[in-house]
Amino acid sequence: MDVFSERRRFLTADQLKLALSGLSSTRYMYIQGARVALKQYEAAMLREEPRVAQEALGAAFRAVERGKVRSLLDLMTTGYMRQGGQKTPETDPINHWQRCSSCLTVSCGQLMQLQSMSEPDAEQIRHIKEKIANDERNLEKAEADLTATDPLFYRAQRISSNILSLGGAARTIDKDTALLQYAFSAEDLCAWTITSSGIHQVHRTTLCENQLTQYIRQFHKKCSSGEPIPKHISNFLVNNLVKPFDDTISTYSRLIVVSMGVGYLIPFHALSWRGQPLTATHTITYLPSTSFLQFLQSSRPNTSIPLASLPHAGTEAEIIAGLFPHSTALTGDKATFEAVYDALPSHSILHFATHGHLNADVPMLSAVSLAYGKELTVAGLTELRLSASLVVLSACRTGEGKASAGDDVVGLVRALFVAGAKAVMATLWAVDDAATTALMTEFYRRISEGDEPAVALQYAQNFLRTCERGGLDEKLEKLSVQLEDQKARKGTIQNVRMLRMQAELAPEQALEKDYSHPMYWAPFMLMGV
């Protein structure tokens, strides 16, 4: 593992690091390292050698962290090296270097897409190969220019992000919080919980990865479709992922979940604990790796910029804007590429109530839709430097992306973290417009009263989850009264009541909606702390 990590350090292009982490053999190597270390821990505990056992736990933790999202951590580290400078994105040479790297990544993805077609177009392939050659020359020149002129670039070019030690991770975790970390490969599930005092519980068991993957995908599918979730599926996931840590979960009110691979499809907050979803009793957030904690020292948000183009999104954006005195609402034709791009760096809350588009073949071209058919792509987002403490992507499937074996999900969430966001809320499946507007209104109402995003999301999910069939109008009326008490803008209150009237005018449709089903309240997950 040491030799592998040293060789990896000499890769400069993000796409090469992603390709390396995308090998299944890479993940297997690191998980086997963790498995061996946990066996040493168990043996040391039997021999009553606590010091040896603690060292083995540290080795297991390091092995899993070294096998995860290193490419994203490297980009985050490069971004933090650039903070504090006065250069704009257009004149920042490191930004230009990253733009050249993004162009090359996009071109290579387009070539793979063309070559995978049943009848590849030879002329298009020739053209894209010429573009790749040109992109490579541009990247080489950008690297050469920076190496000669920028003393920081040699470090950025050979950047190797720091992996937190077990003790370092524990020091970043609050006293009321426990971090649950899972790693699985072949027939091994290795998991542990970390608190401010170190590792709290350890769990290792034999578990078929294919079966776990199948059940995770089925659970996700049933949640997203609104179908009943078979007991044997939910029980399997609860028995293997939740019950082993019952002692930790009963002790700590806040949980941070760090999963692996397909595990990021699980809305962990929807899993059952003592007869009800975990979100009923716990505040839950997610991270791509434990080492990500070193980048997430956030400040409390105080402004917002809602963006909208969906059926109920105009109402959603206007409601949210009305809760914040210095907000900017760019809706409909106002949400142009230029207006959005110019406004993004100066706001601490960014809210996109617009369609997200996942490009599985060329992830860097995944995007959110703007006015006049324009898009803000992953490649474009990585060029920005944001000051946002919170970014919300409230439309369909914005939390998805193309995952490597090292858990680097190349999509909108990753791009926003690279651009500087401290926390990102995204969705795991298609969302119901009216339910989403109600949830988002309660979410931002709580934030405007001083709640942090994770707590606000927990309350908002329970607000919708406990809504009875046909009872959304009653919840919205209560919400409008609370907004009046907060002295929100009259337009905001009127929009909430308009939404309530729409619910009243469609009673038959409302009765069909069982808001207690995870389909309505569980797609939203908060990445960050």
Side-chain angles (χ1 to χ4, degrees), residues 236-298:
F236 177 87
L237 295 176
V238 168
N239 289 338
N240 285 285
L241 304 179
V242 178
K243 281 191 175 179
F245 301 117
D246 186 78
D247 179 57
T248 298
I249 294 171
S250 63
T251 305
Y252 295 88
S253 61
R254 302 172 64 98
L255 305 176
I256 301 172
V257 179
V258 179
S259 191
M260 172 172 279
V262 74
Y264 285 105
L265 289 176
I266 301 177
F268 199 87
H269 49 277
L271 293 177
S272 179
W273 183 69
R274 298 187 180 180
Q276 55 187 338
L278 270 166
T279 194
T281 52
H282 289 73
T283 300
I284 300 174
T285 58
Y286 300 82
L287 287 179
S289 77
T290 302
S291 295
F292 212 71
L293 285 166
Q294 63 191 294
F295 296 111
L296 299 180
Q297 304 299 319
S298 63

Side-chain angles (χ1 to χ4, degrees), residues 452-470:
E452 59 184 276
V455 174
L457 178 59
Q458 180 191 7
Y459 274 101
Q461 286 177 327
N462 286 318
F463 166 84
L464 189 59
R465 183 181 65 83
T466 56
C467 181
E468 297 179 358
R469 286 180 185 268

Side-chain angles (χ1 to χ4, degrees), residues 172-233:
T172 66
I173 297 174
D174 293 336
K175 293 187 181 299
D176 63 345
T177 302
L179 183 146
L180 284 66
Q181 184 161 15
Y182 300 88
F184 48 85
S185 179
E187 295 185 350
D188 292 300
L189 171 64
C190 303
W192 46 74
T193 62
I194 306 174
T195 68
S196 58
S197 58
I199 285 190
H200 188 257
Q201 283 186 276
V202 178
H203 176 62
R204 183 179 68 86
T205 188
T206 299
L207 183 66
C208 176
E209 182 182 3
N210 289 337
Q211 184 183 22
L212 178 61
T213 297
Q214 179 185 1
Y215 279 7
I216 287 173
R217 292 192 182 279
Q218 289 179 4
F219 185 80
H220 179 275
K221 182 180 179 181
K222 297 299 182 183
C223 284
S224 64
S225 65
E227 299 174 47
I229 302 171
K231 283 287 186 184
H232 73 281
I233 292 178

Side-chain angles (χ1 to χ4, degrees), residues 130-202:
E130 290 178 356
K131 187 175 185 307
I132 288 173
N134 186 60
D135 290 342
E136 287 176 337
R137 287 192 293 271
N138 289 339
L139 181 60
E140 289 174 2
K141 185 178 185 306
E143 289 188 355
D145 291 346
L146 273 166
T147 301
T149 61
D150 193 331
L152 283 176
F153 181 67
Y154 183 79
R155 289 175 57 203
Q157 189 183 31
R158 296 286 185 261
I159 201 73
S160 184
S161 52
N162 291 324
I163 294 297
L164 286 178
S165 65
L166 183 54
R171 285 191 291 273
T172 66
I173 297 174
D174 293 336
K175 293 187 181 299
D176 63 345
T177 302
L179 183 146
L180 284 66
Q181 184 161 15
Y182 300 88
F184 48 85
S185 179
E187 295 185 350
D188 292 300
L189 171 64
C190 303
W192 46 74
T193 62
I194 306 174
T195 68
S196 58
S197 58
I199 285 190
H200 188 257
Q201 283 186 276
V202 178

